[in-house]
mmCIF file with all atom_site columns, all heavy atoms in Angstrom:
data_model
loop_
_atom_site.group_PDB
_atom_site.id
_atom_site.type_symbol
_atom_site.label_atom_id
_atom_site.label_alt_id
_atom_site.label_comp_id
_atom_site.label_asym_id
_atom_site.label_entity_id
_atom_site.label_seq_id
_atom_site.pdbx_PDB_ins_code
_atom_site.Cartn_x
_atom_site.Cartn_y
_atom_site.Cartn_z
_atom_site.occupancy
_atom_site.B_iso_or_equiv
_atom_site.pdbx_formal_charge
_atom_site.auth_seq_id
_atom_site.auth_comp_id
_atom_site.auth_asym_id
_atom_site.auth_atom_id
_atom_site.pdbx_PDB_model_num
ATOM 1  N N   . ASN A 1 360 ? 26.349 -7.935 3.245  1.00 0.00 ? 360 ASN A N   1
ATOM 2  C CA  . ASN A 1 360 ? 27.334 -6.907 3.520  1.00 0.00 ? 360 ASN A CA  1
ATOM 3  C C   . ASN A 1 360 ? 26.555 -5.567 3.437  1.00 0.00 ? 360 ASN A C   1
ATOM 4  O O   . ASN A 1 360 ? 26.931 -4.693 4.351  1.00 0.00 ? 360 ASN A O   1
ATOM 5  C CB  . ASN A 1 360 ? 28.369 -7.008 2.526  1.00 0.00 ? 360 ASN A CB  1
ATOM 6  C CG  . ASN A 1 360 ? 29.529 -6.129 2.771  1.00 0.00 ? 360 ASN A CG  1
ATOM 7  O OD1 . ASN A 1 360 ? 30.085 -5.322 1.814  1.00 0.00 ? 360 ASN A OD1 1
ATOM 8  N ND2 . ASN A 1 360 ? 30.071 -5.953 3.916  1.00 0.00 ? 360 ASN A ND2 1
ATOM 9  N N   . LEU A 1 361 ? 25.770 -5.382 2.613  1.00 0.00 ? 361 LEU A N   1
ATOM 10 C CA  . LEU A 1 361 ? 25.026 -4.033 2.524  1.00 0.00 ? 361 LEU A CA  1
ATOM 11 C C   . LEU A 1 361 ? 24.010 -3.821 3.712  1.00 0.00 ? 361 LEU A C   1
ATOM 12 O O   . LEU A 1 361 ? 24.128 -2.701 4.174  1.00 0.00 ? 361 LEU A O   1
ATOM 13 C CB  . LEU A 1 361 ? 24.214 -4.019 1.209  1.00 0.00 ? 361 LEU A CB  1
ATOM 14 C CG  . LEU A 1 361 ? 25.014 -3.879 -0.119 1.00 0.00 ? 361 LEU A CG  1
ATOM 15 C CD1 . LEU A 1 361 ? 24.095 -3.960 -1.263 1.00 0.00 ? 361 LEU A CD1 1
ATOM 16 C CD2 . LEU A 1 361 ? 25.928 -2.651 -0.146 1.00 0.00 ? 361 LEU A CD2 1
ATOM 17 N N   . VAL A 1 362 ? 23.480 -4.853 4.196  1.00 0.00 ? 362 VAL A N   1
ATOM 18 C CA  . VAL A 1 362 ? 22.696 -4.823 5.349  1.00 0.00 ? 362 VAL A CA  1
ATOM 19 C C   . VAL A 1 362 ? 23.458 -4.420 6.471  1.00 0.00 ? 362 VAL A C   1
ATOM 20 O O   . VAL A 1 362 ? 23.204 -3.533 7.356  1.00 0.00 ? 362 VAL A O   1
ATOM 21 C CB  . VAL A 1 362 ? 21.826 -6.062 5.550  1.00 0.00 ? 362 VAL A CB  1
ATOM 22 C CG1 . VAL A 1 362 ? 21.183 -6.151 6.969  1.00 0.00 ? 362 VAL A CG1 1
ATOM 23 C CG2 . VAL A 1 362 ? 20.855 -6.300 4.448  1.00 0.00 ? 362 VAL A CG2 1
ATOM 24 N N   . GLU A 1 363 ? 24.774 -5.126 6.837  1.00 0.00 ? 363 GLU A N   1
ATOM 25 C CA  . GLU A 1 363 ? 25.563 -5.035 7.875  1.00 0.00 ? 363 GLU A CA  1
ATOM 26 C C   . GLU A 1 363 ? 26.114 -3.607 7.903  1.00 0.00 ? 363 GLU A C   1
ATOM 27 O O   . GLU A 1 363 ? 26.400 -3.016 8.913  1.00 0.00 ? 363 GLU A O   1
ATOM 28 C CB  . GLU A 1 363 ? 26.556 -6.044 8.024  1.00 0.00 ? 363 GLU A CB  1
ATOM 29 C CG  . GLU A 1 363 ? 26.053 -7.376 8.227  1.00 0.00 ? 363 GLU A CG  1
ATOM 30 C CD  . GLU A 1 363 ? 27.054 -8.490 8.274  1.00 0.00 ? 363 GLU A CD  1
ATOM 31 O OE1 . GLU A 1 363 ? 28.105 -8.229 7.620  1.00 0.00 ? 363 GLU A OE1 1
ATOM 32 O OE2 . GLU A 1 363 ? 26.726 -9.652 8.642  1.00 0.00 ? 363 GLU A OE2 1
ATOM 33 N N   . ALA A 1 364 ? 26.368 -3.022 6.669  1.00 0.00 ? 364 ALA A N   1
ATOM 34 C CA  . ALA A 1 364 ? 26.906 -1.682 6.543  1.00 0.00 ? 364 ALA A CA  1
ATOM 35 C C   . ALA A 1 364 ? 25.853 -0.545 6.700  1.00 0.00 ? 364 ALA A C   1
ATOM 36 O O   . ALA A 1 364 ? 26.238 0.680  6.839  1.00 0.00 ? 364 ALA A O   1
ATOM 37 C CB  . ALA A 1 364 ? 27.557 -1.479 5.191  1.00 0.00 ? 364 ALA A CB  1
ATOM 38 N N   . GLY A 1 365 ? 24.595 -0.860 6.717  1.00 0.00 ? 365 GLY A N   1
ATOM 39 C CA  . GLY A 1 365 ? 23.571 0.085  6.987  1.00 0.00 ? 365 GLY A CA  1
ATOM 40 C C   . GLY A 1 365 ? 23.173 0.735  5.701  1.00 0.00 ? 365 GLY A C   1
ATOM 41 O O   . GLY A 1 365 ? 22.355 1.575  5.689  1.00 0.00 ? 365 GLY A O   1
ATOM 42 N N   . VAL A 1 366 ? 23.652 0.277  4.442  1.00 0.00 ? 366 VAL A N   1
ATOM 43 C CA  . VAL A 1 366 ? 23.309 0.786  3.210  1.00 0.00 ? 366 VAL A CA  1
ATOM 44 C C   . VAL A 1 366 ? 21.888 0.272  2.808  1.00 0.00 ? 366 VAL A C   1
ATOM 45 O O   . VAL A 1 366 ? 21.097 1.044  2.239  1.00 0.00 ? 366 VAL A O   1
ATOM 46 C CB  . VAL A 1 366 ? 24.324 0.323  2.196  1.00 0.00 ? 366 VAL A CB  1
ATOM 47 C CG1 . VAL A 1 366 ? 23.823 0.835  0.812  1.00 0.00 ? 366 VAL A CG1 1
ATOM 48 C CG2 . VAL A 1 366 ? 25.651 0.935  2.471  1.00 0.00 ? 366 VAL A CG2 1
ATOM 49 N N   . VAL A 1 367 ? 21.522 -0.927 3.063  1.00 0.00 ? 367 VAL A N   1
ATOM 50 C CA  . VAL A 1 367 ? 20.312 -1.508 2.892  1.00 0.00 ? 367 VAL A CA  1
ATOM 51 C C   . VAL A 1 367 ? 19.484 -1.829 4.245  1.00 0.00 ? 367 VAL A C   1
ATOM 52 O O   . VAL A 1 367 ? 20.193 -2.297 5.099  1.00 0.00 ? 367 VAL A O   1
ATOM 53 C CB  . VAL A 1 367 ? 20.393 -2.900 1.999  1.00 0.00 ? 367 VAL A CB  1
ATOM 54 C CG1 . VAL A 1 367 ? 19.049 -3.758 2.043  1.00 0.00 ? 367 VAL A CG1 1
ATOM 55 C CG2 . VAL A 1 367 ? 20.707 -2.505 0.584  1.00 0.00 ? 367 VAL A CG2 1
#
Side-chain angles (χ1 to χ4, degrees):
N360 186 227
L361 292 177
V362 170
E363 291 174 349
V366 173
V367 165

